[in-house]
Amino acid sequence: MELRARGWWLLCAAAALAACARGDPASKSRSCSEVRQIYGAKGFSLSDVPQAEISGEHLRICPQGYTCCTSEMEEKLANRSRAELETALLDSGRALQTTLATQLQSFDDHFQHLLNESERALQDAFPSAFGELYTQSAKAFRDLYAELRLYYRGANLHLEETLAEFWARLLERLFRQLHPQLLLPDDYLDCLGKQADALRPFGEAPRELRLRATRAFVAARAFVQGLGVAGDVVRKVAQVPLGPECTRAVMKLAYCAHCLGVPGARPCPDYCRNVLKGCLANQADLDAEWRNLLDSMVLITDKFWGPSGAESVIGNVHLWLAEAINALQDNKDVLTAKVIQGCGNPKVNPQGSGPEEKRHQGKLVLQEKSPTGTLEKLVLEAKVQLRDAQDFWISLPSMLCSEKVAMSSASDDRCWNGMAKGRYLPEVMGDGLANQINNPEVEVDITKPDMTVRQQIMQLKVMTNRLRGAYSGNDVDFQDASDDSSGSGSGDSCPDDLCDRRVSKKNPSSRTTLTHALPGLSEREGQKTSAASCPQPRASLLLLLLPLVLSAPRPTWR
């Protein structure tokens, strides 16, 4: 009897092995307890999960074998895998955005501080040195600093015009104050203005300030704008949704091993990279223009130093203003004689005081402030961080695979390869959309690039062009051609057929609104200086239109 029982047990065991070999469902019906635990931890209802494996003909993403996943589970896990990857992308982008925003704030604070310190030094020294010659024209100086501040923050001002108009207004005011005994109507002052280039009433100060300020402010403004554009590009691209083919691929990568009863199998490294290179193919196409932008930003920091650098100029604008008033006082008699020779003898003002009564004899000599080292430290830190961020877009797949996906080691030949536990054989694809034509994991239509990403590539190109212009001392928005032999620019940013943005010195408030303002400068603040604004073309359109713009004559100081 015992022998017969033992023979029956051996027969049953053999039958079981044969059934296993045939794929008999009874032999495959394993418990789904581990999958239930993982699924519940994701916040899903355990009522979705079968107690034991079932046939997987219903699966649309995962391989169809015995499974612990129902159709509903597969759909929920697919949506979860897409959401998890999108969150990981946002987190990665947010870290870089924070770095760029911190840099922008630090540089912006420093440049603003330099200009504020210059204005404060002027307000402290000029009243006692120049008396009423300054106090009666104080508004002109305040307006100049306000416009310099607006220009730096992104207002659509022409810097050379702004400076030329300031000197023209100041000359009219001071010439009247120096000659209270004379009647000086507007037409006489217009004649004075026309001769100002030849007379050089303020000496070399206007020319020196123009040459240095245009380079310093353009470089500082372009650099800080570059930080803002870079952060904005990261923010917008990080929000680009993933497509359905990517959702399928990420589901296979992250959760199909669970459904197929091998939840402990971690994805193969090359398998993970291929999935994410396919999902992030459009983002990788940002790489070339992103590198160009960061390279240009690192390069333009060289323009922060030297006699025309931001450190030396922005914080010392008041030095040239003091030099100008000193020169005007020194040359007053010669200037008056030449003006009378060219414009005629003005009538005497019977109610005016004598020429010496309100004239202040003071002369102001100021010392240039030495650099504090703050800007140098900021630049060194920024260069390191910008260089570290250069490969951000093409490094995303490897970074996300290593940080967000529990990959197996490179030597593991029993990792999850998307179908089963085993070695992953396909080669890793290159970066970018064009290289995904043969991606084995993600179906990518290389003929349909993402439009949001393409728009951001264009923004990078426009900003890089602006930085390269600024490196040469030119504001690309206006195509300035400032150099030692020329005092005029070569065109405005608003074509004649769109609007007339010529700014009259009699109406200094006629300004256009902000074009690419820095964060923190509201649209309403920009509109305070815009009594008559014109439609602002988009930056990319602007660059196409600039060569067609006719140069308009404008007052300059040489």
Side-chain angles (χ1 to χ4, degrees), residues 250-507:
V250 175
M251 167 62 186
K252 284 183 68 176
L253 174 73
Y255 293 117
C256 281
H258 299 70
C259 289
L260 265 66
V262 284
R266 296 182 296 177
C268 303
D270 287 352
Y271 170 44
C272 182
R273 292 189 187 98
N274 269 345
V275 169
L276 292 190
K277 279 179 181 281
C279 287
L280 304 178
N282 281 283
Q283 288 84 335
D285 280 349
L286 286 157
D287 179 65
E289 292 304 329
W290 176 259
R291 288 177 184 273
N292 286 340
L293 176 71
L294 300 194
D295 284 341
S296 298
M297 290 175 63
V298 169
L299 188 63
I300 204 173
T301 59
D302 293 342
K303 299 300 180 180
F304 290 171
W305 324 116
S308 296
E311 185 82 0
S312 298
V313 176
I314 297 177
N316 292 291
V317 172
H318 59 289
L319 299 185
W320 285 281
L321 301 180
E323 182 184 326
I325 299 180
N326 288 337
L328 182 67
Q329 292 190 116
D330 291 343
N331 301 328
K332 184 234 179 184
D333 295 335
V334 175
L335 172 65
T336 302
K338 289 184 177 180
V339 171
I340 292 174
Q341 183 181 357
C343 300
N345 214 343
K347 295 180 180 179
V348 175
N349 182 4
Q351 298 178 345
S353 57
E356 300 298 327
E357 291 183 15
K358 290 191 176 182
R359 181 179 176 188
H360 198 288
Q361 298 291 337
K363 193 166 185 176
L364 182 59
V365 178
L366 298 172
Q367 297 296 320
E368 181 177 343
K369 291 184 178 180
S370 301
T372 61
T374 301
L375 184 57
E376 184 177 4
K377 181 181 178 183
L378 290 175
V379 168
L380 289 174
E381 291 175 352
K383 283 183 174 180
V384 171
Q385 292 173 337
L386 290 174
R387 284 171 178 147
D388 287 346
Q390 281 193 325
D391 63 347
F392 176 75
W393 299 108
I394 58 172
S395 68
L396 270 176
S398 294
M399 181 181 70
L400 292 174
C401 282
S402 61
E403 294 180 2
K404 304 297 182 181
V405 179
M407 290 193 305
S408 68
S409 65
S411 60
D412 184 7
D413 61 358
R414 298 289 293 166
C415 51
W416 173 250
N417 61 22
M419 298 299 294
K421 287 173 68 174
R423 183 174 299 176
Y424 184 75
L425 299 178
E427 63 177 345
V428 178
M429 298 292 100
D431 300 307
L433 194 62
N435 286 316
Q436 307 311 310
I437 190 169
N438 293 318
N439 192 310
E441 309 306 334
V442 189
E443 282 190 38
V444 181
D445 187 346
I446 66 172
T447 66
K448 294 181 179 179
D450 182 86
M451 294 312 298
T452 298
V453 173
R454 299 296 137 173
Q455 289 168 0
Q456 297 314 303
I457 290 174
M458 179 57 67
Q459 290 301 312
L460 293 173
K461 288 182 178 180
V462 170
M463 190 64 240
T464 298
N465 190 52
R466 187 176 297 145
L467 282 160
R468 288 173 177 171
Y471 184 81
S472 301
N474 302 324
D475 187 344
V476 173
D477 292 341
F478 297 99
Q479 290 292 291
D480 287 343
S482 305
D483 54 42
D484 288 348
S485 61
S486 172
S488 64
S490 60
D492 295 332
S493 70
C494 201
D496 293 339
D497 59 342
L498 290 179
C499 67
D500 179 11
R501 72 169 302 277
R502 290 297 300 149
V503 181
S504 168
K505 67 180 181 181
K506 302 294 184 185
N507 183 20

Side-chain angles (χ1 to χ4, degrees), residues 158-207:
H158 191 292
L159 190 54
E160 287 193 8
E161 280 188 356
T162 297
L163 291 171
E165 290 157 14
F166 163 74
W167 293 117
R169 293 194 302 268
L170 187 64
L171 177 61
E172 291 179 2
R173 288 173 176 269
L174 296 186
F175 195 79
R176 269 186 167 143
Q177 286 179 250
L178 289 171
H179 300 285
Q181 79 283 13
L182 301 178
L183 286 174
L184 300 171
D186 285 348
D187 58 349
Y188 196 89
L189 293 175
D190 286 341
C191 178
L192 167 65
K194 291 176 182 177
Q195 297 195 53
D197 275 356
L199 297 175
R200 297 187 181 229
F202 296 112
E204 291 297 314
R207 176 180 174 277

Side-chain angles (χ1 to χ4, degrees), residues 519-534:
L521 184 58
S522 67
E523 184 176 334
R524 184 173 62 180
E525 183 178 346
Q527 289 172 344
K528 290 178 182 177
T529 64
S530 177
S533 62
C534 69

Side-chain angles (χ1 to χ4, degrees), residues 64 120 197 218 242 259 348 389 444 546:
Q64 294 182 343
R120 189 174 297 113
D197 275 356
V218 166
L242 302 176
C259 289
V348 175
V444 181
L546 277 172

Side-chain angles (χ1 to χ4, degrees), residues 223-239:
F223 179 79
V224 180
Q225 284 172 355
L227 290 171
V229 167
D232 200 45
V233 167
V234 174
R235 177 181 62 82
K236 290 179 179 177
V237 174
Q239 295 173 354

